[in-house]
Amino acid sequence: MATIYSEQKPPAASPPWADENAADEGARSERTRLRLPAWLPWLGGRVLSGLATAFVISILVFAATQALPSDPARVILGPDATEASIRTLQAQLGLDQPILVQYAKWAGRALTGEFGVSLDSSVPAGQIVADRFGNSAALMAVVLAIAVPLAFLGGVALAIRRDSRADNWAMNAIILFKALPAFVLAIGLILLLSTTVFPILPAVSLLDPEVSPLLQPVYLVLPALTLILTVAPFLLRLVRSAMIETLEADYVAAARLRGIPERRIVWAHAVPNALVPVIQGIALTSRLLLGGGLIVEVVFSYPGIGNALNAAIEVRDVPVIQAITLTMAVGVVLINLLADVATVLVTPKLRTSSRPRLRNGTRAKLKLKAGGV
Amino acid sequence: MTTKLSALRRDPQARLGLVFAGSVLAMALLGPAIAPQSPLALVGPTYGLPGDPGALLGYDYLGRDVLSRLLAGGRSVLWMSFAASAIALALGAVIGIAAGLSKRWIDHAVVWGTDVLLAFPDLILVLLVVSMLGREPWLIVLTVAVSFVPGVIRLARGVTLGVVSQEYVEAARLMGYPWWRVVLLEILPNIATPLLVHLGIMLTWAVGVLSGLSFLGYGVAPPAADWGLMINENRAGLMIQPWAVLAPVAMIGLFALGTNLLAESISRAGSRIGVRRGVKSRARTQMRGKKRRQRENQA
Amino acid sequence: MSVVPFVNALLQVRDLSVAIEDGPEIVGEVSFSVLPGEIVGVVGESGCGKTSIATALLGDSRAGAVISGGSVFLDGRDILALTEAERQKVRGAVISHVAQDPALALNPMRRIGSLLAEVLRVHLPDLGKPAREARIAEAAADVGLPATREFLRRFPHQLSGGQQQRVLLALAVLLRPRLIVLDEPTTALDVTTQARVLATLRDLCRTRGIGAVYVSHDLAVVRELVDRVVVLYAGHIVESGGRDQIFESPAHPYTRGLLDAVPDIAGRHAVRPIRGHAPALQDRPDGCRFAPRCALASASCAQRPGLRETGRDFGDRRLVACHHPIRDRRDDTPIASRLISAAAVQPLAVLEGVSASYGDSQVLFDVGLELPKGYCTALVGESGSGKTTFSRALVGAVEDVEGTFDYDGRRVRLSGERDIDLRRRIQYIFQNPFRALNPRQTVGQILRTAALHFFPIRSADADREVAEVLERVALAPELARRYPRDLSGGERQRVAIARALICKPELLICDEITSALDVSVQAAIIDLLRQLQRESGLTILFVTHDLGVVRAVADFVAVLQHGRIVEHGPADRLLDRPEHPYTRAPIADSPRLRATAG
């Protein structure tokens, strides 16, 4: 078959008004497959920015616990403490040194996971974090493992049936669950499932510390259910609105007019484009899970990191407070970093660019779209 | 503006939200005046069930009248929620608009700063401060506001950038209108809707955080009446006297739901005001084509 | 309604109508036919329903709209009567569609090759991989794209606009359909790329016998490309017939008005606007829909005119829906160019050595330009040539700029603060009227603010000024109380011009101010500018990429190319006898409205 359009002018003669081959350079990086990915420098910058964020977070944690209170030792021990015990504590916390020295020493130790000894139980604070962290992680894993697929499938299904009766009802339910604070939900569930109506589940999570919480599902059900109900509506709505947006895109209409079957349009054309909001949304829920998780753990006496923080705050166990808040905040930074990397990886335009420009505030915008966290 | 208000009035969800939030608000404001008992007085049996004509909701763990405590216990959480949200809105809007109008590096610095603060889950930040610095109401309000500010900054900055890129703002600048005039007359009216929606959402969050805080025992100090505190105090008697827990839970839930419904319908009404498509979509196509070619030419 | 059936027609559309669900009709009683190998242009202004027709031909309607009646026979099969599954088989295989904006119509997550292969896999599942690759290579060759492995692995964003449009075209011809429907496929392309894509399309149709329906608002493109034309107004066909018949002797007053409104690069003729604007969907009149804007309207126009043959003299397959069809030829001989004596030309503004950059990239290189007082100078160039930067530099809106600027005998700094008087004397009008007016202020407030800002007048005086200026731009004084969202695009642009005029400027900088408007509205704006210039001796710098508009509006032209002025001179001389090769190419590639030799 002969080329019909053969009179492509040679590049030299083609006037620069033409743009026919202008994009060739952009594609060159794709051609050589062995080269390092184009976004590697971006990743470097992003990691640096994450480290800087972690540094500032450590300053904030330190400031709130040690620098801002006029006399942390007195705050910790309460008004009835003797002068001697206060002085002992001051020495133990190193409060007698200049503030910058205190911070430097504290941060240096924190880098090695060393946060000092719990004032309450004389166990190293790092140890407490490590012990409890597993339980919380198990809870969150269960929550995400159920909430993410649920929200994804539900969101896609609702987007396809947009404005149907089922969609309207689901949206109303979502607004309801999104509005309710986590502890209100938790108490509602206790009333429903472990006390008056259907007393079938334990209201308190008396985990056997020797066994993984995943093997004691009966204690996981209520806390996990509460968190799923706080997280899933938010995620589901995010998926739904992202899917609606892509289903309305020109390329979906174009695919439809090429005779591509509807099922294929949804899964091969629309869903991949709705991935980015979902990835960023999952990152956003990590904040929600950590904050809501604390209350839920307290309500159900679930022996997780949130409950430990609550207990530490009650007795002003500064080393433990510092260890846990720092871990949580740095964890959020890390999750955001991973989400950004995943975003770049699934978006061809970002992946092939040497300067991927993740729109600033993507997350904040998402938050609004889904009606807030 | 008027069309938007009328659209809101027709929206059944907006009306429902208004009824919910309004009645809870009215109850919290008027409650102390119409409470049959003093919220602190021990007037009945511990965990006494409803039944007495004077105690519709029974008695709490110390034998205080639940209804009276319910009527008295809304003020604190509501005023603190409003105060925190309003402060956050004002502070965040000022910083966000300023960032949106500033040079790039200042803007970047502000965005990065919000990133740092956003790494703390709201409640954790508040807990951290409250546990070490004390539980005075103004301190709690301020901390909650601070924890909300990054979100407002991001939002205000985003919408400001959107508005500033519109030619009418540039036109105002080229005319030489003073900067405050540009901000107050050209920018602010056009970003008001998303900010208002956000205020509604923040109210929902604030009620959650503040009642959660007193539920954990770091908010209003006992023996004062407060919904979150009531839930905490009476939790142990959930099996015997559920009303003492259920009533404040319902109040908090109802108010959060009401503000959320309102915010939802404001944002719907705001997005409904669109421009006719036809001409605009072609103009957009052309402009996109132009922009792309511009990029290609510069590359 | 009688339509002469064509036995050999490839596509026959009969009484097609599309409506908003439970609402007004978008298009109605649309009937036309396409012969094999024939390209039929469907033309009309925005809102006339041409995009709805384009998708309805494939049995699709956008969300919220439904195909409410009629039939679309393709090769004897009624597409609208097919089941959804059958229709899916037909789409892409027998009839295909090319969308408006190639950047949006290609899925950003999918490689070009996978998009092409998907179509084959869905429609021809039995085809093996080698056969698929052969088909793809063939289609790519047909549309002038390389079919290398590397190219097929690219993502849409790694292609230029022209290449993207060719990919869409390849997707459309991949299954060798009988008919292609193209919906303004070149709107987002520059003239040279557009010319090449159109050449490819024409060759495809000729050699393969593929029929095409080309939907467009651009009359010049249609004139160059199609065999027959269907003219739409407000959802109805007003006229259809052979290309030359329609363009040389349009019988419907709307067609004639439309042609009179289009500025043509081929020769200067006065552009004449059509009064009023097209009715909104729910306000369309019962009788002839054009009657309220028609100069020939009479009592009989209250009756809906049917689309019919209007006598032998109109020729074969020539249909007009009008009670008063016009029978004479359209006069499109250009008017003589204005002679400008060198002595009369005095510069109002002189710019020399203007260089500007954004960040690291320099946009303007040593640009010099004189703006003659009382004349209109057009600044033309492709996107990215720096013309907007240059015009913005004149009002001090570019930070990083050097060069000298003498305004009215006074040396003015290009960057930095300007005094209020200079701001008043140089006014800038923006491209997009939908973004140029604050949606939260009434027209009156917008105008008053400007008047009170520049002149020490009392509030009542400002109101009078507002009324006066609205009259000057031919807007009703009641409009002062309206918000911009209540106005049409043309009205908004008039308000933007009024905002400039109320400042009593000397120099008006118009940045592509008509590119977002329909041609009949564009003509009105051009008309207004010419009139203002005549009446108050305004000096105008008209920035544009549309050489037809240049012909209609400008006395002088400067051509900007990659940040340098490559040619500068009187408009007619430059457009008729361009000297610089960079000027010649786009002038040659621009589609013309008037029949050109050969």
Side-chain angles (χ1 to χ4, degrees):
Chain A
M1 186 56 54
T3 306
I4 292 161
Y5 186 84
S6 56
E7 287 170 2
Q8 189 113 26
K9 294 177 193 167
S14 90
W17 301 71
D19 65 341
E20 290 276 300
N21 294 306
D24 270 23
E25 273 155 62
R28 206 152 288 154
S29 55
E30 269 274 303
R31 213 169 294 161
T32 45
R33 308 234 61 204
L34 277 175
R35 255 215 256 160
L36 291 172
W39 44 270
L40 214 59
W42 165 84
L43 182 66
R46 183 65 186 76
V47 169
L48 278 184
S49 144
L51 286 177
T53 312
F55 170 66
V56 176
I57 284 170
S58 75
I59 293 180
L60 281 179
V61 169
F62 178 81
T65 48
Q66 239 165 291
L68 280 182
S70 52
D71 189 349
R74 198 174 293 277
V75 172
I76 291 165
L77 295 176
D80 307 327
T82 60
E83 279 302 310
S85 59
I86 286 176
R87 260 195 298 282
T88 321
L89 186 60
Q90 277 175 342
Q92 187 186 339
L93 293 175
L95 294 178
D96 38 5
Q97 290 157 323
I99 201 84
L100 280 179
V101 177
Q102 284 181 47
Y103 172 76
K105 281 191 173 168
W106 176 80
R109 280 186 294 129
L111 274 180
T112 61
E114 185 69 34
F115 289 94
V117 174
S118 161
L119 303 176
D120 188 41
S121 58
S122 306
V123 180
Q127 186 66 44
I128 291 179
V129 173
D131 286 349
R132 298 296 193 87
F133 186 77
N135 288 344
S136 287
L139 179 59
M140 278 184 205
V142 169
V143 169
L144 286 179
I146 295 172
V148 171
L150 188 81
F152 201 84
L153 294 175
V156 171
L158 289 185
I160 294 170
R161 291 172 188 72
R162 181 155 60 114
D163 293 333
S164 67
R165 187 168 298 180
D167 181 40
N168 286 338
W169 278 106
M171 289 313 288
N172 285 337
I174 283 172
I175 292 177
L176 174 70
F177 282 113
K178 210 161 50 68
L180 295 180
F183 75 99
V184 169
L185 261 176
I187 288 174
L189 284 176
I190 290 180
L191 278 170
L192 192 68
L193 293 176
S194 54
T195 56
T196 39
V197 191
F198 306 107
I200 43 177
L201 289 166
V204 177
S205 304
L206 302 165
L207 283 181
D208 180 349
E210 301 299 317
V211 187
S212 156
L214 293 175
L215 298 175
Q216 310 170 58
V218 73
Y219 296 119
L220 271 175
V221 175
L222 275 184
L225 192 58
T226 313
L227 284 175
I228 289 170
L229 285 180
T230 24
V231 172
F234 162 77
L235 267 182
L236 196 151
R237 205 165 161 192
L238 204 68
V239 177
R240 178 181 173 273
S241 63
M243 273 301 286
I244 285 175
E245 207 168 284
T246 49
L247 282 174
E248 277 177 357
D250 284 9
Y251 52 78
V252 165
R256 209 168 269 145
L257 291 178
R258 284 199 295 272
I260 310 291
E262 201 60 25
R263 181 185 286 267
R264 212 184 150 78
I265 284 181
V266 169
W267 294 103
H269 287 261
V271 164
N273 282 285
L275 274 180
V276 167
V278 176
I279 290 171
Q280 295 289 342
I282 292 174
L284 265 177
T285 56
S286 66
R287 253 186 107 210
L288 196 67
L289 276 175
L290 287 170
L294 183 136
I295 285 208
V296 171
E297 286 181 8
V298 172
V299 172
F300 294 103
S301 310
Y302 186 90
I305 198 170
N307 213 343
L309 178 61
N310 183 48
I313 285 175
E314 244 164 68
V315 295
R316 300 208 172 78
D317 190 346
V318 170
V320 178
I321 295 175
Q322 289 170 336
I324 293 180
T325 45
L326 199 61
T327 312
M328 280 186 173
V330 171
V332 172
V333 172
L334 199 67
I335 290 169
N336 285 348
L337 174 68
L338 289 178
D340 283 355
V341 172
T343 302
V344 169
L345 285 182
V346 300
T347 314
K349 196 166 182 174
L350 299 175
R351 183 169 72 210
T352 53
S353 157
S354 59
R355 257 184 303 174
R357 199 171 297 154
L358 272 178
R359 266 169 303 157
N360 260 333
T362 310
R363 265 191 290 274
K365 227 174 277 159
L366 282 177
K367 201 163 150 177
L368 269 176
K369 201 182 267 176
V373 177
Chain B
M1 217 53 198
T2 44
T3 54
K4 196 181 292 177
L5 279 182
S6 67
L8 264 188
R9 230 173 291 137
R10 275 196 307 274
D11 188 349
Q13 261 192 21
R15 271 184 290 189
L16 197 65
L18 202 64
V19 169
F20 284 175
S23 50
V24 174
L25 197 64
M27 214 192 81
L29 289 179
L30 304 175
I34 57 171
Q37 309 275 353
S38 154
L40 304 181
L42 305 178
V43 289
T46 306
Y47 288 133
L49 282 169
D52 293 7
L56 286 174
L57 293 172
Y59 302 97
D60 74 353
Y61 78 114
L62 291 177
R64 295 172 295 199
D65 179 27
V66 171
L67 181 64
S68 303
R69 280 181 73 75
L70 190 72
L71 287 169
R75 266 193 193 175
S76 47
V77 61
L78 291 190
W79 86 255
M80 284 164 79
S81 300
F82 275 107
S85 307
I87 293 172
L89 188 74
L91 209 63
V94 169
I95 301 176
I97 293 172
L101 295 174
S102 302
K103 293 208 171 65
R104 257 180 79 168
W105 67 268
I106 298 180
D107 182 35
H108 279 309
V110 170
V111 169
W112 188 77
T114 62
D115 245 352
V116 174
L117 277 180
L118 282 173
F120 290 95
D122 296 342
L123 191 69
I124 305 291
L125 187 70
V126 180
L127 276 180
L128 191 63
V129 171
V130 169
S131 64
M132 295 311 292
L133 295 179
R135 50 158 70 169
E136 287 82 7
W138 65 267
L139 188 66
I140 295 177
V141 166
L142 219 57
T143 325
V144 172
V146 166
S147 78
F148 288 169
V149 160
V152 188
I153 292 179
R154 285 291 189 85
L155 170 71
R157 170 188 171 273
V159 287
T160 303
L161 285 179
V163 169
V164 167
S165 73
Q166 304 270 318
E167 279 92 349
Y168 61 83
V169 176
E170 171 131 43
R173 283 182 174 165
L174 290 184
M175 290 277 194
Y177 295 164
W179 68 267
W180 52 267
R181 193 172 189 130
V182 174
V183 170
L184 288 183
L185 294 182
E186 313 287 337
I187 296 176
L188 209 53
N190 287 294
I191 65 170
T193 304
L195 287 179
L196 208 61
V197 173
H198 196 65
L199 179 68
I201 296 172
M202 278 198 297
L203 269 177
T204 315
W205 297 343
V207 171
V209 170
L210 288 165
S211 56
L213 208 59
S214 36
F215 169 77
L216 289 175
Y218 305 111
V220 176
D226 176 89
W227 292 340
L229 189 63
M230 284 170 73
I231 300 172
N232 189 21
E233 290 167 345
N234 298 310
R235 205 148 58 92
L238 197 59
M239 304 278 213
I240 318 159
Q241 214 294 49
W243 297 107
V245 175
L246 206 55
V249 162
M251 284 297 127
I252 294 167
L254 213 57
F255 185 75
L257 188 60
T259 47
N260 212 353
L261 282 173
L262 269 177
E264 293 275 341
S265 27
I266 295 175
S267 85
R268 255 203 314 274
S271 65
R272 212 177 284 140
I273 294 182
V275 225
R276 301 172 317 149
R277 241 187 129 232
V279 184
K280 209 182 155 194
S281 75
R282 172 157 10 106
R284 240 186 285 140
T285 299
Q286 277 174 349
M287 250 158 253
R288 251 193 313 265
K290 285 171 55 120
K291 266 195 204 131
R292 187 184 49 236
R293 271 174 272 146
Q294 207 153 342
R295 271 202 311 275
E296 281 164 10
N297 284 351
Q298 274 166 10
Chain C
M1 176 128 294
S2 77
V3 172
V4 188
F6 285 92
V7 189
N8 54 351
L10 171 66
L11 174 82
Q12 261 213 49
V13 181
R14 278 195 206 140
D15 290 341
L16 177 69
S17 53
V18 181
I20 304 276
E21 232 167 322
D22 311 319
E25 191 182 76
I26 301 169
V27 293
E29 294 170 21
V30 168
S31 304
F32 64 95
S33 59
V34 182
L35 303 179
E38 189 180 44
I39 305 180
V40 172
V42 174
V43 301
E45 296 179 277
S46 59
C48 72
K50 51 190 189 300
T51 296
S52 298
I53 293 178
T55 51
L57 294 183
L58 286 89
D60 194 30
S61 58
R62 74 179 137 96
V66 285
I67 300 173
S68 47
S71 54
V72 176
F73 277 98
L74 182 67
D75 262 353
R77 258 203 301 185
D78 184 1
I79 295 196
L80 302 184
L82 299 178
T83 64
E84 190 55 40
E86 288 169 329
R87 213 176 283 163
Q88 257 173 26
K89 291 211 180 73
V90 171
R91 287 180 186 166
V94 187
I95 176 169
S96 57
H97 183 270
V98 177
Q100 185 178 108
D101 187 339
L104 292 185
L106 288 170
N107 193 331
M109 303 292 259
R110 301 283 299 269
R111 295 177 196 274
I112 306 303
S114 97
L115 282 175
L116 286 161
E118 181 186 38
V119 172
L120 289 171
R121 230 182 251 139
V122 164
H123 286 281
L124 303 169
D126 301 333
L127 220 56
K129 193 168 184 233
R132 266 209 306 271
E133 283 176 356
R135 285 289 283 269
I136 290 174
E138 190 188 316
D142 280 354
V143 300
L145 282 176
T148 60
R149 183 171 292 274
E150 181 277 324
F151 187 81
L152 293 175
R153 281 187 58 79
R154 287 198 200 171
F155 288 99
H157 74 270
Q158 293 168 319
L159 307 180
S160 68
Q163 285 173 327
Q164 286 172 344
Q165 195 54 274
R166 281 169 195 277
V167 170
L168 283 183
L169 216 50
L171 282 165
V173 300
L174 191 56
L175 296 163
R176 300 173 192 150
R178 305 292 315 276
L179 184 84
I180 309 181
V181 180
L182 302 111
D183 186 359
E184 311 221 23
T186 60
T187 312
L189 306 180
D190 64 68
V191 283
T192 303
T193 317
Q194 166 176 292
R196 293 189 194 168
V197 170
L198 293 180
T200 307
L201 175 67
R202 199 179 302 128
D203 288 345
L204 272 173
C205 291
R206 291 285 130 80
T207 54
R208 293 285 169 75
I210 299 176
V213 174
Y214 189 93
V215 170
S216 180
H217 71 284
D218 190 333
L219 290 168
V221 168
V222 168
R223 164 109 224 197
E224 300 231 316
L225 180 74
V226 309
D227 302 304
R228 289 196 320 113
V229 182
V230 173
V231 184
L232 280 176
Y233 180 76
H236 280 162
I237 294 183
V238 294
E239 182 166 12
S240 72
R243 171 189 65 172
D244 293 340
Q245 297 170 330
I246 296 279
F247 279 90
E248 280 159 22
S249 48
H252 197 284
Y254 173 67
T255 316
R256 201 161 274 240
L258 200 59
L259 284 169
D260 285 345
V262 182
D264 185 8
I265 182 178
R268 181 189 294 259
H269 66 85
V271 293
R272 282 187 295 274
I274 306 174
R275 63 179 178 175
H277 52 82
L281 224 48
Q282 60 278 2
D283 309 329
R284 289 173 176 174
D286 289 330
C288 172
R289 286 179 174 168
F290 187 61
R293 300 175 71 186
C294 184
L296 303 174
S298 66
S300 58
C301 295
Q303 294 285 316
R304 163 100 57 89
L307 188 65
R308 57 177 183 257
E309 289 186 82
T310 328
R312 281 279 151 76
D313 46 333
F314 279 108
D316 192 30
R317 292 172 80 193
R318 182 70 193 280
L319 302 167
V320 182
C322 182
H323 294 300
H324 322 275
I326 309 168
R327 281 158 197 275
D328 52 343
R329 283 177 67 86
R330 195 174 86 90
D331 176 30
D332 61 351
T333 43
I335 51 175
S337 53
R338 268 212 282 173
L339 285 175
I340 303 164
S341 71
V345 176
Q346 281 176 343
L348 174 69
V350 182
L351 290 117
E352 268 165 23
V354 177
S355 300
S357 30
Y358 284 118
D360 295 332
S361 60
Q362 192 167 354
V363 185
L364 293 176
F365 302 85
D366 194 23
V367 173
L369 186 64
E370 283 186 12
L371 300 179
K373 199 170 193 166
Y375 288 100
C376 174
T377 305
L379 185 62
V380 300
E382 268 311 315
S383 305
S385 58
K387 54 190 194 305
T388 293
T389 307
F390 181 77
S391 58
R392 286 167 49 88
L394 257 62
V395 286
V398 179
E399 277 176 29
D400 197 356
V401 62
E402 299 166 16
T404 61
F405 179 20
D406 290 310
Y407 182 81
D408 207 9
R410 175 158 80 103
R411 176 63 52 104
V412 177
R413 281 201 310 157
L414 275 171
S415 59
E417 270 303 303
R418 297 207 165 171
D419 61 64
I420 190 165
D421 188 49
L422 194 63
R423 284 183 189 276
R424 178 186 67 75
R425 290 162 76 175
I426 307 180
Q427 285 292 320
Y428 195 97
I429 304 170
F430 291 91
Q431 176 174 29
N432 189 343
F434 293 88
R435 293 155 58 101
L437 305 175
N438 188 341
R440 300 279 185 210
Q441 289 179 6
T442 62
V443 168
Q445 284 170 337
I446 292 171
L447 298 177
R448 273 170 53 96
T449 311
L452 290 169
H453 178 65
F454 286 119
F455 304 105
I457 48 176
R458 279 173 304 135
S459 179
D461 293 331
D463 287 337
R464 211 172 39 247
E465 294 266 337
V466 168
E468 270 171 29
V469 80
L470 282 176
E471 200 190 327
R472 277 181 81 191
V473 298
L475 289 175
E478 304 91 76
L479 243 55
R481 286 189 300 277
R482 303 270 197 80
Y483 284 93
R485 65 167 175 271
D486 303 327
L487 309 184
S488 71
E491 286 171 332
R492 289 181 204 216
Q493 201 58 288
R494 282 167 194 272
V495 173
I497 294 173
R499 174 171 58 192
L501 289 181
I502 208 168
C503 309
K504 304 192 169 63
E506 295 158 352
L507 173 59
L508 212 54
I509 299 171
C510 306
D511 181 9
E512 305 247 20
I513 62 169
T514 61
S515 66
L517 304 175
D518 270 322
V519 277
S520 65
V521 181
Q522 163 174 292
I525 297 288
I526 290 177
D527 214 33
L528 173 66
L529 282 182
R530 289 306 262 178
Q531 184 196 337
L532 288 172
Q533 195 193 352
R534 264 199 316 276
E535 282 170 4
S536 40
L538 271 176
T539 307
I540 298 176
L541 177 67
F542 196 93
V543 178
T544 183
H545 67 282
D546 186 335
L547 294 169
V549 174
V550 172
R551 182 73 96 170
V553 79
D555 303 303
F556 295 93
V557 184
V559 181
L560 206 56
Q561 203 268 320
H562 286 340
R564 293 185 174 85
I565 292 215
V566 293
E567 194 163 358
H568 183 198
D572 291 324
R573 200 275 296 148
L574 195 140
L575 291 177
D576 292 333
R577 296 180 301 280
E579 280 159 11
H580 198 280
Y582 288 140
T583 322
R584 262 184 233 141
I587 290 178
D589 286 330
S590 286
R592 275 134 214 275
L593 208 52
R594 289 198 308 146
T596 39

